[in-house]
């Protein structure tokens, strides 16, 4: 006599592939929620919070001052939101704006010395928060995760900027 498998039972391999801990959406949501929670405290005193932080990081890492519009695209912010955010960051002496010498209608955004110093403080606090979140990874795994997430983020940003352009 052969044993029959109940019809409502899925084969073990299929059931394991449907587990939450193997689901990309679940993993992204859990990491995003946890990161947002620990990061929010680190950037709370910065004008604009997380958005202000991203602007300062983008400016500190760049070689040539971007225009407001280029900066908004780089950090994926609406240009109107960017204007108000830059107003706030400028009021706190963290950035400055000047006319773009190539296009006088555009404004270039520059990080100030005060902005760099404040960014260094925030990065130190954020680094400690990230270390808690990544505590189960060794340094090699942490670097690999950062590299892979950066690549996925670049793909995601392209999709946000120009969704469906590559599709047939």
């Amino acid at each position: 006599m052969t044993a029959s498998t109940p019809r409502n039972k899925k084969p073990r391999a299929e059931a394991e592939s449907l587990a939450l801990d193997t689901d990309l959406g679940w993993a992204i949501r859990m990491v995003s929620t946890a990161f947002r929670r620990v990061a929010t405290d680190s950037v709370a005193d910065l004008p604009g919070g997380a958005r202000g932080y991203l602007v300062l990081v983008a400016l500190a890492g760049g070689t040539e001052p971007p225009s407001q519009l280029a900066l908004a695209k780089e950090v994926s912010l609406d240009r109107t939101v960017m204007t108000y955010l830059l107003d706030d960051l400028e009021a706190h002496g963290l950035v400055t704006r000047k006319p773009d010498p190539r296009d006088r209608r555009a404004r270039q955004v520059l990080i100030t010395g005060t902005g760099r110093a404040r960014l260094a403080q925030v990065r130190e606090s954020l680094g400690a928060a990230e270390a808690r979140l990544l505590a189960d990874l060794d340094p090699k795994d942490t670097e690999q995760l950062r590299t892979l997430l950066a690549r996925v983020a670049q793909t995601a940003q392209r999709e946000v900027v120009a969704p469906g352009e590559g599709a047939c």
Side-chain angles (χ1 to χ4, degrees), residues 22 39 41 62-63 86-87 91 94 108-109 114 139 144 157 162:
T22 61
D41 291 340
T63 55
L86 290 176
D87 288 346
L94 304 177
Q108 289 181 322
V109 185
T114 302
Q144 184 177 19
Q157 186 177 38

Side-chain angles (χ1 to χ4, degrees), residues 100-141:
D100 187 330
R102 295 170 305 232
D103 180 358
R104 298 190 75 63
R105 297 169 295 168
R107 313 255 304 158
Q108 289 181 322
V109 185
L110 299 97
I111 188 169
T112 65
T114 302
R116 286 185 190 281
R118 187 70 182 106
L119 177 60
Q121 292 170 344
V122 171
R123 286 188 74 104
E124 186 175 324
S125 175
L126 190 56
E130 288 175 0
R132 287 193 312 272
L133 186 61
L134 301 172
D136 290 340
L137 300 179
D138 64 34
K140 183 179 175 186
D141 288 342

Side-chain angles (χ1 to χ4, degrees), residues 40-112:
T40 297
D41 291 340
S42 299
V43 299
D45 293 333
L46 197 60
R51 290 175 172 172
Y53 170 77
L54 291 177
V55 166
L56 293 178
V57 168
L59 293 173
T63 55
E64 186 174 325
S67 68
Q68 286 184 207
L69 183 58
L71 183 59
K73 286 180 181 177
E74 184 177 359
V75 297
S76 296
L77 282 179
D78 177 81
R79 64 186 180 150
T80 304
V81 171
M82 178 59 76
T83 299
Y84 288 115
L85 178 57
L86 290 176
D87 288 346
D88 203 15
L89 291 168
E90 194 168 35
H92 285 84
L94 304 177
V95 302
T96 187
R97 291 178 276 194
K98 68 176 188 174
D100 187 330
R102 295 170 305 232
D103 180 358
R104 298 190 75 63
R105 297 169 295 168
R107 313 255 304 158
Q108 289 181 322
V109 185
L110 299 97
I111 188 169
T112 65

Side-chain angles (χ1 to χ4, degrees), residues 8-29:
N8 62 351
K9 291 269 186 170
K10 294 184 179 181
R12 182 177 173 92
E14 184 181 343
E16 287 176 0
S17 71
L18 295 175
L20 273 179
D21 63 355
T22 61
D23 185 82
L24 179 63
W26 176 82
I28 289 173
R29 181 171 183 242

